[in-house]
Amino acid sequence: MLPRTTELRTIAHANTLRGCQLFMGLPTEELEAIAAFVIPKQLGKGEYLFREGAAAEGFYVVVRGAVNVHRVSAVGKEQVIAIFRPGQSFAEAALASDGGYPANARAIEDSTILLVPKAEVLALLRKRPELALRMLGSMSQHLRVLVSLLDDLTLKDVETRLANWVLKRCPRPPTKAPVEFQLDRTKRVLAAELGTISETLSRSFAKLRAQGLLRVSGKAITVLDPRGLDALLRRNLGGI
């Protein structure tokens, strides 16, 4: 019988896994079996979980905090691939390859992460092939994020990329009614996602504010005229 503290820890980890799309629908017994071998990791803000090329230990599930997965170019420019938050999994592709991690992962706030070790999860997949299909679906979702990122980075300037990023957070089709949302990352991280630097991003925000399209107050961004912002995006893309 497990010691009480170990049992409680396993139950807590199982509850975290239950909230992850990858494991939704698994019976409690199997969730607890997985939870028994996951390894919790505590990361301070700015601390790396892994670096590009490091030997893959397994994949990860975020319990709290946020993890920035990014690559760094030969000239030192950081490109954010995705930011993962509680309940999300990442680095599943490491299970299918003997190579190292293809990117870097760094906590952007104090975080708790669960490592799902490679050897143990591969043994589980041999018993539960439907879980392997779920993992393929999860990796497919990550691929769609990468394709979307590539599309965004082909837009001709930062103002256009910012307008596109903001509009993705507005109801479609756009209306004249204002839309407010909270910026869930620092402006430095957003700048890296958009392939630019903080100063250029700030100038792009200022341009949109000057046109009466946006209002920014701390973390709150208000799209004053979503339809007008959509029209600006279309003009910048060469549309009507």
Side-chain angles (χ1 to χ4, degrees), residues 12 27 65 95 135 140 152 193 238:
L95 299 176
M135 286 192 169
S140 175
D152 290 349
E193 284 186 83

Side-chain angles (χ1 to χ4, degrees), residues 41-45 47-49 67 107 109-113:
K41 292 180 175 288
Q42 306 295 330
L43 299 175
K45 181 179 179 180
E47 188 176 351
Y48 276 80
L49 179 62
V67 175
E109 53 191 74
D110 292 346
S111 302
T112 302
I113 315 295

